[in-house]
Amino acid sequence: MVRFGIIGTNWITESFIQAASKVEDFSLTAVYSRTNEKAEEFAKKFNIEHTFTNLEEFASSDVFDAVYLASPNSLHAKQAILCMNNRKHVLCEKPIASNTREVSEMMKAANDHSVVLMEALKTSFLPNFLAIKENLHKIGKVRRYFASYCQYSSRYDKYKEGIVLNAFKPEFSNGSLMDIGIYCVYPAVVLFGEPKQIKASSYMLESGVDGEGSLLLTYDEMDAVIMYSKITNSYVPSEIQGENGSIIIDKIHTPESVKIHYKDGRIEDLTQPQDSASMFYETKEFIELVKNKNHQSQLNSHSNSLTTAKILEDARKQIGLIYPADK
């Protein structure tokens, strides 16, 4: 049994708990929140025995073995390192940190204390993403990866009314690239590695974060074209184009339909059944790593997280998006 403590009491944490509770060997024993009222309310809702309002006391507690960390992006590195220094394994929501310096510091802490550190980027472990990875060779030499994820934020209407919520605040290392674009970038890194060159453009909001943008990643024999947004919706599928055919992916962040369209007109349906909630698979991977004393995932590896952070950081420099965490 792997006992979990929780940092962050928002909707994403609730989704995580609902999915993780279906994983064998998952146990939820502790929650941290800044206020006792919120901690108690959350604990009652999910039958959590121990509550904490002091982060140091939480991290040093012996009532859990691993942490699911879903606080604002800007707090990830500090909180994760504190927990790892107390020999806790860390499953950290994406993006794992604000910049490459923070990711490197987190990796060092994980290595120093022989604990698991994994970015909770769910896509890599989903049955239909694994189907893409396993069947990629069928389309011949890959020439283009196209990924689009544009989702109008539920908080953007408030923003237009003049109320800037956390999702659009640079002090929390937020914005369209970090929150949405990463879902397009991470799969590209898992499938194709680190690009040789990055070109970025975006529309910047007055609050100081990006509302939407595009990336062009150049590889030796292919390119990756990425579109992302928090201020518009898109309904186009994503695609990996090869010389013998193309893989059509309905949703790059949570693929549910995957088909190869071959150049001779044949269509092969690669779609796999997904019986569990999307966050189930990342939790299962993480728990298996902890149980087997493997300190990092092969898919959501330290190097894949660091490469993704490099791409995001390079793109941010080009569009002039600087966070307080960068200074």
Side-chain angles (χ1 to χ4, degrees), residues 213-264:
S214 306
L215 294 177
L216 178 62
L217 311 181
T218 306
Y219 291 84
D220 281 332
E221 296 184 304
M222 61 168 281
D223 62 21
V225 180
I226 288 168
M227 305 190 314
Y228 55 90
S229 176
K230 288 184 82 168
I231 58 175
T232 58
N233 284 322
S234 175
Y235 306 94
V236 299
S238 296
E239 183 179 46
I240 304 173
Q241 299 172 9
E243 292 187 356
N244 297 332
S246 296
I247 299 177
I248 311 298
I249 306 152
D250 64 338
K251 301 190 296 286
I252 192 63
H253 54 97
T254 318
E256 292 173 354
S257 171
V258 180
K259 294 178 181 177
I260 299 180
H261 289 241
Y262 291 101
K263 66 180 182 184
D264 64 6

Side-chain angles (χ1 to χ4, degrees), residues 85-227:
N85 286 347
N86 283 276
R87 302 194 179 278
K88 301 295 193 291
H89 307 283
V90 175
L91 178 60
C92 184
E93 257 313 324
K94 59 83 205 162
I96 194 168
S98 301
N99 50 48
T100 54
R101 174 183 53 77
E102 289 186 348
V103 177
S104 297
E105 289 170 358
M106 292 165 79
M107 287 164 51
K108 183 179 185 303
N111 291 330
D112 286 350
H113 299 289
S114 300
V115 292
V116 179
L117 170 66
M118 191 180 99
E119 187 164 6
L121 196 294
K122 63 183 179 181
T123 310
S124 322
F125 307 107
L126 297 177
N128 284 297
F129 182 78
L130 296 176
I132 295 166
K133 195 169 182 289
E134 287 159 13
N135 290 277
L136 194 59
H137 66 279
K138 292 181 178 177
I139 62 171
K141 191 170 283 296
V142 174
R143 295 304 189 187
R144 173 168 293 129
Y145 166 92
F146 166 71
S148 171
Y149 185 18
C150 304
Q151 183 173 286
Y152 189 94
S153 171
S154 58
R155 298 167 183 85
Y156 188 51
D157 287 336
K158 287 284 187 198
Y159 180 88
K160 289 191 286 187
E161 292 169 14
I163 302 162
V164 182
L165 299 173
N166 288 359
F168 292 104
K169 288 183 177 178
E171 56 264 41
F172 291 116
S173 303
N174 277 331
S176 183
L177 176 63
M178 297 290 269
D179 295 343
I180 295 285
I182 189 171
Y183 279 113
C184 300
V185 174
Y186 209 104
V189 171
V190 171
L191 294 172
F192 307 111
E194 186 169 357
K196 292 172 65 180
Q197 191 180 9
I198 299 158
K199 289 182 181 173
S201 64
S202 75
Y203 169 70
M204 298 295 290
L205 299 171
E206 286 182 7
S207 69
V209 302
D210 56 325
E212 59 86 38
S214 306
L215 294 177
L216 178 62
L217 311 181
T218 306
Y219 291 84
D220 281 332
E221 296 184 304
M222 61 168 281
D223 62 21
V225 180
I226 288 168
M227 305 190 314

Side-chain angles (χ1 to χ4, degrees), residues 23-72:
V23 181
E24 192 179 349
D25 290 328
F26 172 84
S27 170
L28 182 55
T29 57
V31 60
Y32 162 83
S33 183
R34 285 170 300 169
T35 68
N36 194 55
E37 182 186 11
K38 185 73 176 176
E40 293 288 350
E41 179 191 337
F42 200 83
K44 189 175 179 182
K45 186 171 185 179
F46 294 103
N47 297 316
I48 304 170
E49 188 177 352
H50 304 279
T51 60
F52 297 85
T53 54
N54 180 293
L55 201 58
E56 283 76 14
E57 287 177 14
F58 171 83
S60 62
S61 165
D62 62 359
V63 298
F64 61 94
D65 317 296
V67 180
Y68 171 70
L69 208 165
S71 54

